[in-house]
Amino acid sequence: GRWLLSLSLYACLLLGISWLVHERILVSYMDEPFHIPQTQQYCQGNFLEWDQKITTLPGLYIFGVIWASLLSFLTSIASSLGIAPASISTTCSSITCFNLYHLFLHH
């Protein structure tokens, strides 16, 4: 019980911080100038497009498409390319929470 409650609070905090950062920082930062366009390419179905500067495996972008599409559907958020950068930026946060939950199940 307590571990699952802690995970839930952590997930809410992490996702809340992700959204807050997105609302406060209006320009791309760190590696977003590479990752957001790559995810948007995948969101448009261009799975053969690849930025050679990126070292991240494609699975993250596939998950990003699924996650961003789900968030867009649930919240009706859409950018000019169909997927909002805010929903893309929560991908890593959601993966972190999923991994922690998976650790809890096998704890």
Side-chain angles (χ1 to χ4, degrees):
R2 190 184 309 178
W3 205 93
L4 189 56
L5 177 62
S6 296
L7 174 63
S8 299
L9 291 173
Y10 176 76
C12 290
L13 181 65
L14 188 61
L15 292 173
I17 289 171
S18 293
W19 281 100
L20 184 63
V21 166
H22 176 72
E23 286 193 13
R24 301 277 180 180
I25 300 174
L26 303 177
V27 295
S28 295
Y29 63 99
M30 288 196 303
D31 52 358
E32 280 185 346
F34 302 106
H35 294 296
I36 288 178
Q38 185 63 51
T39 304
Q40 289 172 330
Q41 286 293 325
Y42 271 48
C43 288
Q44 294 174 355
N46 300 327
F47 298 107
L48 298 178
E49 279 293 317
W50 190 256
D51 184 338
Q52 296 298 320
K53 297 176 196 136
I54 295 176
T55 58
T56 305
L57 297 174
L60 178 64
Y61 301 105
I62 293 170
F63 182 81
V65 169
I66 294 166
W67 180 249
S69 297
L70 176 65
L71 286 178
S72 291
F73 174 75
L74 293 176
T75 61
S76 300
I77 294 174
S79 69
S80 62
L81 294 173
I83 301 296
S87 58
I88 294 170
S89 66
T90 63
T91 301
C92 289
S93 300
S94 61
I95 291 172
T96 300
C97 293
F98 174 79
N99 287 337
L100 288 173
Y101 180 71
H102 192 269
L103 286 172
F104 168 74
L105 290 178
H106 298 289
H107 177 239

